[in-house]
Amino acid sequence: MNYEELASQLNTAEKTLNESLKDGTKTCKTILKDTENGDLKDLDKAIKAMEASIESQKEALKTIREAIEGFDRTKYIVGGDFSKQMLEECEKREIDVRDLGGMVYDMFPSKVTINRETLDITLDKKKVQCFRPKALVQTVKETQEKLKKEKFNDERFIRELAAAYDLVVLKKGKKLKDGNALIKDIYAMMAPTARAKKEYDLQTFAFDLARLLASGTRYLKDGRFLDIDSSRHGSDAIRYLDVNGNENYFSMICFR
C-alpha cells in the first residue's frame, strides 16, 4: 500500500469537486440576480445548471468517500508500509533515523512513535494526525530546523549540569570511578520526577549537551572544566548527532 497512490486518486476527485463548487457558487449568484430582475427564462437555465453542479459534486464526493473507505489504515500502519515509506522519505531529505523497535524511531533530536492499537502518531510530545509519510517527515524537518534556531544559554546549562553532577557525587561518593558520573544519572538529577521527564525528555537533554559541545563552553567560574567521555558503555550511553550530522554517544561526565 502507498498513501501517494490514494492521494493521487483523491486529488483528481477533489479537483472535480472544487470546480463544481466554483460553478455552483457562480450559478447561485445568477439565480439570485435573475430572481431580483425577474428574468425567469434565464432562471430556468440557471436552475438546470445548478442541478448539474450539485450532481457533479455528489459524484465527486462519492468517489472520495469510496477511496478513503477502501484504504485499510490499520494494514497500512501495522503491516509496515507506512514505516518503510517514512524511512525512504527520511533518506531523501537526509534526516538521520534509527529504528528503536516497537515502531519507535529516533530522528535526533526528535522521536517518532507509532501506536499499533490506536494508530496515533506522536512526534516528540505531540500527537500528529498524519497518514502521509511525506507530510510527516516534512513536519519532522521543520521541527528540527526550528529547534536549531532556538536560542541556547550555554553558560546557564553548564551550571545546571555541574549542579546535577555535584548531587550525583554526593549520592554515589566513592562508587564513582575517577569522579566520572554516568550521563543517565546526571539526567535523572536534572529531571527527577515523571512530570519533569515528560517536560524535559532524554532526547532534549542529549540535544542540549550536543549544543553545549558545539558552543565550546567547558569552564565554570570556580575553575573546574567539563570532561566528557564519549565512548559507548552499553545501555548507559545516550546517542546524539554532532553539528556535522555524525553519530556519537555521551557516556560519562566529570567536572575536574
Side-chain angles (χ1 to χ4, degrees), residues 153-167:
N153 191 324
D154 53 315
E155 294 290 346
R156 183 177 65 188
F157 182 72
I158 197 171
R159 288 198 302 270
E160 293 172 348
L161 196 65
Y165 170 79
D166 290 341
L167 289 173

Side-chain angles (χ1 to χ4, degrees), residues 1-255:
M1 299 177 69
N2 191 320
Y3 184 89
E4 294 307 309
E5 294 175 1
L6 172 65
S8 179
Q9 187 178 357
L10 292 176
N11 287 340
T12 299
E14 287 164 355
K15 184 177 180 181
T16 300
L17 178 62
N18 188 46
E19 292 300 322
S20 297
L21 286 169
K22 288 180 180 179
D23 290 341
T25 300
K26 184 177 178 180
T27 303
C28 183
K29 291 179 180 179
T30 300
I31 290 174
L32 294 173
K33 183 179 179 181
D34 288 344
T35 300
E36 184 68 24
N37 296 333
D39 191 344
L40 298 183
K41 284 187 177 182
D42 194 61
L43 183 57
D44 291 337
K45 294 178 183 179
I47 290 173
K48 289 181 180 180
M50 179 60 82
E51 288 174 341
S53 175
I54 292 173
E55 191 60 34
S56 177
Q57 292 171 37
K58 288 170 64 177
E59 286 299 318
L61 193 59
K62 179 183 177 183
T63 299
I64 293 170
R65 184 179 65 249
E66 290 176 347
I68 292 175
E69 290 176 350
F71 188 77
D72 192 333
R73 305 175 195 189
T74 301
K75 182 179 179 181
Y76 183 52
I77 295 292
V78 178
D81 285 340
F82 177 90
S83 295
K84 179 182 176 182
Q85 290 155 31
M86 179 185 69
L87 294 176
E88 289 173 352
E89 286 296 329
C90 285
E91 185 176 357
K92 289 178 185 177
R93 295 172 186 264
E94 298 182 336
I95 292 178
D96 180 88
V97 58
R98 186 182 184 194
D99 187 347
L100 301 180
M103 300 189 81
V104 179
Y105 302 89
D106 178 1
M107 302 181 191
F108 189 83
S110 302
K111 182 180 287 186
V112 171
T113 305
I114 304 171
N115 189 308
R116 290 177 178 270
E117 302 298 324
T118 64
L119 305 184
D120 286 333
I121 300 171
T122 304
L123 173 56
D124 297 327
K125 307 177 188 71
K126 185 178 180 181
K127 285 185 179 181
V128 289
Q129 296 300 323
C130 184
F131 283 84
R132 189 176 194 179
K134 183 177 181 179
L136 175 62
V137 174
Q138 176 61 29
T139 301
V140 171
K141 188 76 172 179
E142 292 172 355
T143 299
Q144 292 182 342
E145 292 300 323
K146 183 178 179 181
L147 284 171
K148 291 175 182 177
K149 291 178 181 177
E150 287 182 353
K151 290 183 178 180
F152 177 68
N153 191 324
D154 53 315
E155 294 290 346
R156 183 177 65 188
F157 182 72
I158 197 171
R159 288 198 302 270
E160 293 172 348
L161 196 65
Y165 170 79
D166 290 341
L167 289 173
V168 172
V169 171
L170 284 174
K171 184 178 180 180
K172 300 284 185 178
K174 295 180 180 180
K175 293 181 180 179
L176 298 181
K177 185 178 180 181
D178 298 325
N180 292 309
L182 290 173
I183 198 68
K184 285 191 175 180
D185 287 340
I186 301 296
Y187 171 68
M189 284 296 179
M190 295 185 74
T193 66
R195 182 175 180 179
K197 286 180 173 63
K198 186 176 181 181
E199 294 178 352
Y200 187 61
D201 61 20
L202 191 59
Q203 289 281 101
T204 306
F205 173 59
F207 183 55
D208 283 344
L209 278 172
R211 290 198 287 183
L212 180 64
L213 283 183
S215 74
T217 300
R218 295 291 184 279
Y219 285 86
L220 296 169
K221 289 183 177 180
D222 62 11
R224 291 187 293 168
F225 72 93
L226 173 63
D227 184 14
I228 298 181
D229 180 359
S230 59
S231 60
R232 189 175 180 182
H233 295 277
S235 60
D236 291 325
I238 58 176
R239 175 180 178 270
Y240 76 97
L241 299 181
D242 63 21
V243 291
N244 297 314
N246 299 314
E247 181 184 79
N248 289 283
Y249 289 86
F250 293 118
S251 181
M252 294 183 289
I253 68 169
C254 180
F255 282 90

